[in-house]
Amino acid sequence: MTELDAHRAATGTGDRSRPRAVLPALCITQITSWGIVYYAFPVLNPAITADTGWPTGATTAAFSAALLISAFAGIRVGRTIDHRGPRTVMTAGSVLGAASLLIIAAAPNLPVFFAGWLLAGLAMAATFYQPAFAALTRWWAPDHVRALTIVTLAGGLASTVFAPLTAMLANHLSWRMTYAVLAAILAAVTVPAHAFALKAPWPTAPPQSPHTSDSAITVSRSRPFWMLAAALTLSAFTIYAIVVALVPLLLERGYTTSQAAWALGLGGAGQTLGRTLYATLARRTGVTTRTTTLIALGGVTTAALAVTPGPYALLVALSVAAGMVRGNLTLLQATAITDRWGTTHYGHLSGLLAAPATTASALAPFAGATLAAPLGGYPQLFGAFSLISILAALTALRAAPHPAKT
């Protein structure tokens, strides 16, 4: 490969299999999809429960059910993208996402509210990071880390943009009207972006190298795969629980909803900052060291939030630090398959790896809301989650990489 060819490979130019519109489009749609379908909920949930009288545990369970549906649907989505590409899946997911939010906004009772979130779970599986990662890994291989970093840098701004925006809308509109406005934004931005930017020909799967010749079934049944899945699952449980629990933690400590929303949003900015460091970290560490260190740091930041009552600026700084770790963990999972087993079966294996982690993230908000009171409050809850993160780090030590990748 010449120097010019290498530059084109890195930038996505000069190669028809890497259409220029894909990367900016996915950056925009990840910000919008995550910001509206995911991050709006922790901001609006206090208003939902206050207006309807529905228990916090019940509304959070609906949100958790959406994440659970996303976990199982993501396996099928990954297989479909491996064979057919992302355009149809992600466009349909965008339409479904907007429709699900309208159902949630209009829900007259909890069963309909649950139904809306179950549809939202299918939309998450078809529009969140996993399908975007599968698309970029195929279109940009072997230089996919750069593309993944760029799209996750953008995605890290989702809470920064939409948590404060949601809070601002909620200050002037009911939670139902706020969700209706957000549904309109979601449809206007993501449906055309996915429909028109992802229409390029889908490249054929690369041939397997001698070092990554195991089939997807063989890899998925191996001890390293399941130990890695266990570590990422425990980590995801804590990471996503504290994202949803951060707002009630700050409310319990006497801060306003707007202050809590800004702390959550600036944590998203921390995700973006953290992701700028991942490429350097990947060059200087092995996969096991990198995995263990990042998961352990997640436990440290969670413990710090547990024991720090204030001042507000310090809590915001800790939220940013936790976001930095969370941002790196996103890229860690995005590259875990290719670092160990290559790109041939990326969509399938990534879906399998993400399924238990997404299931844990689905259960985490409900578990957090349910356990906070018995444990004595949200600081104690954060302390318990920090211990789980340490267990996850110890599990990661046993997830030895593929021998060819050491």
Side-chain angles (χ1 to χ4, degrees):
M1 177 180 286
T2 67
E3 184 176 347
L4 178 60
D5 290 336
H7 172 73
R8 287 173 173 173
T11 60
T13 60
D15 188 335
R16 292 182 64 188
S17 69
R18 295 172 181 169
R20 294 183 180 182
V22 168
L23 194 53
L26 288 178
C27 287
I28 292 169
T29 60
Q30 288 302 302
I31 292 174
T32 308
S33 297
W34 274 97
I36 291 176
V37 183
Y38 188 92
Y39 284 107
F41 175 76
V43 176
L44 291 176
N45 195 39
I48 294 172
T49 56
D51 176 59
T52 61
W54 300 336
T56 299
T59 56
T60 307
F63 182 69
S64 295
L67 296 173
L68 189 61
I69 291 294
S70 174
F72 292 103
I75 298 173
R76 180 61 181 175
V77 166
R79 291 176 179 172
T80 301
I81 291 177
D82 274 345
H83 291 93
R84 301 178 184 176
R87 184 191 184 195
T88 300
V89 169
M90 297 192 78
T91 303
S94 294
V95 174
L96 188 60
S100 68
L101 293 182
L102 291 176
I103 294 172
I104 291 167
N109 50 49
L110 268 175
V112 176
F113 188 79
F114 264 83
W117 277 112
L118 294 180
L119 290 177
L122 295 176
M124 292 176 185
T127 59
F128 278 10
Y129 278 142
Q130 291 306 316
F133 289 164
L136 292 173
T137 297
R138 179 71 64 86
W139 263 316
W140 260 258
D143 304 296
H144 53 280
V145 173
R146 176 181 177 273
L148 294 174
T149 301
I150 290 172
V151 81
T152 54
L153 285 174
L157 296 173
S159 63
T160 306
V161 174
F162 282 97
L165 175 61
T166 301
M168 182 186 70
L169 289 172
N171 285 336
H172 300 282
L173 303 171
S174 69
W175 70 268
R176 296 182 186 275
M177 283 302 300
T178 298
Y179 260 134
V181 171
L182 292 175
I185 295 172
L186 183 70
V189 173
T190 64
V191 173
H194 288 148
F196 295 108
L198 305 182
K199 62 182 180 180
W202 186 236
T204 57
Q208 297 183 148
S209 72
H211 300 302
T212 59
S213 58
D214 290 342
S215 69
I217 294 176
T218 300
V219 170
S220 67
R221 293 176 178 175
S222 67
R223 180 180 178 276
F225 184 90
W226 283 109
M227 292 304 295
L228 177 64
L232 293 178
T233 297
L234 290 170
S235 176
F237 181 81
T238 62
I239 290 297
Y240 285 96
I242 67 171
V243 168
V244 176
L246 182 62
V247 170
L249 173 73
L250 295 185
L251 292 177
E252 186 175 296
R253 285 174 167 163
Y255 298 99
T256 67
T257 299
S258 293
Q259 286 176 313
W262 273 106
L264 177 64
L266 290 172
Q271 289 185 186
T272 299
L273 178 60
R275 285 164 185 164
T276 64
L277 307 175
Y278 184 79
T280 301
L281 181 65
R283 287 193 301 269
R284 296 182 178 181
T285 60
V287 291
T288 301
T289 299
R290 184 162 64 251
T291 303
T292 303
T293 300
L294 287 173
I295 293 175
L297 285 174
V300 170
T301 55
T302 302
L305 285 166
V307 300
T308 305
Y312 177 70
L314 180 56
L315 288 169
V316 169
L318 290 175
S319 178
V320 171
M324 291 177 66
V325 176
R326 192 163 64 245
N328 276 281
L329 285 169
T330 301
L331 280 170
L332 180 76
Q333 181 165 322
T335 57
I337 297 299
T338 52
D339 283 346
R340 294 165 172 84
W341 299 288
T343 63
T344 303
H345 304 291
Y346 179 88
H348 185 185
L349 289 174
S350 181
L352 289 172
L353 185 67
T358 306
T359 300
S361 69
L363 298 174
F366 175 72
T370 302
L371 294 174
L375 289 175
Y378 280 91
Q380 292 83 355
L381 179 70
F382 274 57
F385 284 147
S386 69
L387 296 178
I388 296 175
S389 289
I390 299 304
L391 176 61
L394 294 175
T395 303
L397 286 173
R398 304 182 64 188
H402 193 286
K405 294 291 184 180
T406 56

